[in-house]
Amino acid sequence: MGSMGLLGLFLGISAVLGVSPWNPTLAELLFLSPRTQLDASPFGSLWPLPQSLRISPERFRVAPNQFRIVHGPGSSEGPDCSLLQEAFRRYYEYMFGHSKWQNQDGGKSRYETELSSLQVIITSEDSECDKFPSITSDEAYQLQVSKPTAVLKAGKVWGVLRGLETFSQLLHEDDTGRYFVNESDITDFPRFAYRGILLDTSRHFLPLKVILTNLDAMAFNKFNVLHWHIVDDSSFPYQSTTFSELSAQGAYSPNHIYTPTDVHSVIEYARLRGIRVIPEFDTPGHTQSWRKGKMYILTPCYNGMHPSGSYGPVNPIFSATYDFMMKLFKEVSTVFPDDCIHLGGDEVDFSCWKSNPEVTEFMRKKGFGFWYSKLESFYVEKILDIVASVKKKSIVWQEVFDHGAKLQPDTIVEVWKSFYQLELAKVTAHGHQAILAAPWYLDLISYGEDWKNYYNVEPLSFIGSMSQKELVLGGEACLWGEYVDATNLTPRLWPRASAVAERLWSNRSVTDVSDAYNRLAQHRCHMLRRGIAAQPLYVGYCSHDFI
């Protein structure tokens, strides 16, 4: 991008955010000298774009061997907070670990003003350092970069994590390998509280390392929920301590399981990055892998008067089914600390239930007639009660709502089908909170820049009152695993999911696709530099290639 291109980009950001543009001098225009690599601009590297920012052309030298991230005076949290200490170490490594800065002389150059430190100040007495993030977590922060120190203020540790990411994006390196940061004033907070990524570990097993790498990428994009679709028809990799036979018989192999230690590692790794982990145990459909360990759980299908040898959804007519589910979800509630469990409830095939004489007799006695959706609702309502009994909230796919199940007031509905605007209007009109996934199925790929389609979505573009729209918690990008495993997950996910990240974080007015392209291309370079194999947006190159 040439100097005038960078100037236009900065003026565009100023206009979008309602801040006063600067009138550049000739020297400042020379500072914005033409470059061809995609990660050259100090102004166009912020992603997602903060709610309010001013960036001055004045810049300060940052000497890596002198710069420190420290607890500021008056902060309610100090060195005892391991979450912050780990974050300080991690972001110092992100900013300087890839460089040969140790060989620099560290002395004064013609840039005499240096930034000596970033002071982090937490203003709340309860920083939540030892807690897990939740839907109510405060992620707001203020960042002021001025000489001789930068100051990052936040009420909670979660805001510090987001502010550290922003500061790291402000840092830029010139052609000589010297680091600079521009004088800046940023006030930021997320537009939506729920900003998720769905990963499917059943269709193809994802090694632990791949999950952790993508948790890093989520933090780089300020996502805060990992929706872990951990089991499905294909395999049951979750190793239950209560029912070990589920994974012993239902996983692809003994090497394709997540042990309790693995699960704990994912949850803690996510917590240190301000990310919730919400597990999904989808029933009554999508449960073929459960049969190998617990055959009685599924419904035997019939061909006429005789069993066909195949099995359908979970069998909803026996009390043993609910005894099993009670024990399983009691375990799950202790393993996963988040307030929510995703119960699925989508794509239930009724044909097996229709073929089974015991099920049809049960239907007759219950007065359900031929409405198998009522049988589905009967089952789901019992599972909702079970989850409530273990002090968790439920998330369900939209079919559960569409088929008329009596949901509890705090049940969250995830919308994934077409005509999602109408569905959001209906769900919120009934007083339920909603999560939007429908326009962000990243497993559906096409040639070209499909990220623009994700970027142009407006989650609140449905007919409804202000109180209805306040019930939309946010959304998530879903990467289902039929054609995705460790070989292609990361480049397929990033930076396409980044488009969703900005839509869920930034102000509603941030919609300029041209500006977004410039910033996203540079953000992708940042991810490459940090070891994330994000695919290119289009033709170009980064100064630091992925290795």
Side-chain angles (χ1 to χ4, degrees):
M1 183 186 298
S3 59
M4 296 311 295
L6 291 177
L7 174 59
L9 172 61
F10 182 72
L11 295 176
I13 292 175
S14 299
V16 165
L17 297 172
V19 299
S20 301
W22 52 277
N23 294 316
T25 65
L26 176 60
E28 289 162 352
L29 284 175
L30 289 174
F31 162 64
L32 296 174
S33 58
R35 296 191 183 185
T36 54
Q37 70 259 31
L38 294 172
D39 53 355
S41 166
F43 298 119
S45 56
L46 292 175
W47 195 279
L49 197 66
Q51 296 286 341
S52 171
L53 80 149
R54 290 177 181 270
I55 301 180
S56 161
E58 183 175 359
R59 62 177 182 167
F60 310 125
R61 169 93 180 274
V62 180
N65 54 348
Q66 298 173 7
F67 182 79
R68 298 291 182 267
I69 304 174
V70 297
H71 295 279
S75 178
S76 64
E77 197 59 76
D80 291 339
C81 178
S82 59
L83 182 148
L84 287 182
Q85 292 304 116
E86 167 61 20
F88 292 175
R89 180 207 62 75
R90 191 167 66 246
Y91 272 93
Y92 189 89
E93 182 72 15
Y94 290 153
M95 291 187 288
F96 307 117
H98 57 271
S99 175
K100 297 180 179 179
W101 58 265
Q102 293 92 340
N103 296 327
Q104 296 181 19
D105 58 20
K108 299 288 185 182
S109 67
R110 64 189 181 91
Y111 300 98
E112 295 185 355
T113 302
E114 290 195 3
L115 195 70
S116 62
S117 65
L118 172 63
Q119 294 186 352
V120 175
I121 300 173
I122 293 183
T123 59
S124 172
E125 288 301 318
D126 179 13
S127 72
E128 300 185 0
C129 179
D130 297 322
K131 297 181 180 178
F132 288 90
S134 70
I135 193 65
T136 60
S137 291
D138 182 2
E139 299 175 280
Y141 65 91
Q142 291 180 305
L143 177 61
Q144 290 184 315
V145 180
S146 59
K147 59 182 181 182
T149 63
V151 177
L152 170 59
K153 287 186 179 180
K156 307 288 185 179
V157 293
W158 320 117
V160 172
L161 294 176
R162 306 305 173 226
L164 286 171
E165 176 58 36
T166 297
F167 181 82
S168 73
Q169 293 178 9
L170 286 171
L171 191 75
H172 54 279
E173 185 180 5
D174 69 7
D175 292 332
T176 69
R178 296 179 184 272
Y179 291 91
F180 299 92
V181 63
N182 284 71
E183 184 177 44
S184 308
D185 188 353
I186 294 174
T187 299
D188 202 12
F189 52 87
R191 182 184 176 198
F192 291 100
Y194 187 109
R195 306 179 308 280
I197 294 288
L198 180 148
L199 295 183
D200 172 4
T201 59
S202 174
R203 271 75 175 216
H204 287 96
F205 179 82
L206 298 178
L208 189 63
K209 181 181 178 181
V210 173
I211 297 175
L212 300 184
T213 295
N214 281 278
L215 284 169
D216 283 331
M218 288 174 64
F220 302 156
N221 290 272
K222 297 188 172 74
F223 280 104
N224 67 351
V225 179
L226 171 62
H227 175 174
W228 192 352
H229 189 85
I230 194 166
V231 299
D232 206 293
D233 283 331
S234 305
S235 70
F236 198 107
Y238 171 77
Q239 188 178 62
S240 168
T241 55
T242 308
F243 301 106
S244 59
E245 62 271 27
L246 287 171
S247 60
Q249 302 297 322
Y252 284 129
S253 82
N255 296 321
H256 295 87
I257 61 171
Y258 300 107
T259 67
T261 300
D262 293 335
V263 173
H264 175 77
S265 296
V266 170
I267 293 169
E268 181 60 14
Y269 199 90
R271 185 187 79 86
L272 293 175
R273 288 151 182 78
I275 298 171
R276 302 162 61 192
V277 179
I278 298 178
E280 181 181 354
F281 288 83
D282 193 356
T283 68
H286 292 279
T287 48
Q288 289 299 302
S289 64
W290 301 46
R291 177 178 63 86
K292 298 173 183 178
K294 287 290 180 184
M295 185 175 293
Y296 70 87
I297 289 299
L298 302 192
T299 305
C301 305
Y302 275 67
N303 185 2
M305 298 299 295
H306 304 285
S308 66
S310 61
Y311 291 81
V314 167
N315 195 328
I317 71 173
F318 296 130
S319 59
T321 296
Y322 303 104
D323 292 339
F324 165 81
M325 292 295 178
M326 181 71 216
K327 293 175 183 176
L328 177 63
F329 282 110
K330 186 175 182 180
E331 175 193 318
V332 169
S333 71
T334 61
V335 170
F336 292 89
D338 197 81
D339 293 337
C340 294
I341 298 174
H342 203 303
L343 303 181
D346 62 317
E347 298 180 319
V348 181
D349 184 352
F350 297 151
S351 59
C352 186
W353 282 350
K354 292 177 181 179
S355 75
N356 185 296
E358 290 181 306
V359 172
T360 55
E361 176 62 15
F362 182 85
M363 292 272 291
R364 187 188 65 79
K365 289 180 178 179
K366 287 290 184 181
F368 293 162
F370 297 103
W371 294 98
Y372 284 86
S373 60
K374 291 185 177 181
L375 180 61
E376 177 191 17
S377 296
F378 171 85
Y379 167 82
V380 169
E381 288 166 14
K382 285 186 171 291
I383 301 301
L384 289 171
D385 288 341
I386 286 172
V387 171
S389 74
V390 296
K391 310 301 182 185
K392 296 288 186 179
K393 296 179 182 179
S394 297
I395 305 176
V396 295
W397 294 110
Q398 72 178 72
E399 288 97 318
V400 174
F401 171 81
D402 293 342
H403 293 169
K406 184 179 179 181
L407 304 182
Q408 294 167 357
D410 61 359
T411 300
I412 300 166
V413 179
E414 183 160 8
V415 175
W416 72 278
K417 291 188 172 184
S418 301
F419 308 108
Y420 60 84
Q421 293 94 340
L422 293 175
E423 187 74 12
L424 285 172
K426 284 191 256 183
V427 168
T428 56
H430 280 76
H432 290 291
Q433 293 178 319
I435 298 165
L436 179 62
W440 295 317
Y441 267 45
L442 270 58
D443 52 300
L444 305 177
I445 60 174
S446 60
Y447 186 80
E449 300 178 64
D450 59 357
W451 68 269
K452 294 179 181 179
N453 299 328
Y454 310 137
Y455 191 79
N456 286 328
V457 171
E458 170 45 52
L460 302 186
S461 63
F462 63 91
I463 298 174
S465 65
M466 184 63 68
S467 60
Q468 281 180 255
K469 296 188 178 187
E470 288 174 352
L471 291 173
V472 179
L473 298 176
E476 66 183 28
C478 301
L479 190 59
W480 297 100
E482 287 88 347
Y483 302 98
V484 175
D485 67 4
T487 66
N488 64 345
L489 181 141
T490 301
R492 185 163 293 186
L493 188 57
W494 309 105
R496 296 162 75 231
S498 302
V500 183
E502 179 152 295
R503 183 55 52 238
L504 294 173
W505 179 282
S506 301
N507 190 282
R508 180 171 182 165
S509 63
V510 179
T511 57
D512 187 330
V513 174
S514 241
D515 168 65
Y517 175 87
N518 293 323
R519 288 184 295 107
L520 185 54
Q522 294 171 51
H523 180 58
R524 180 247 173 185
C525 290
H526 284 176
M527 287 194 283
L528 291 187
R529 204 169 193 174
R530 297 181 184 184
I532 306 300
Q535 70 179 19
L537 295 179
Y538 190 54
V539 176
Y541 79 102
C542 299
S543 58
H544 293 263
D545 291 324
F546 179 81
I547 299 177

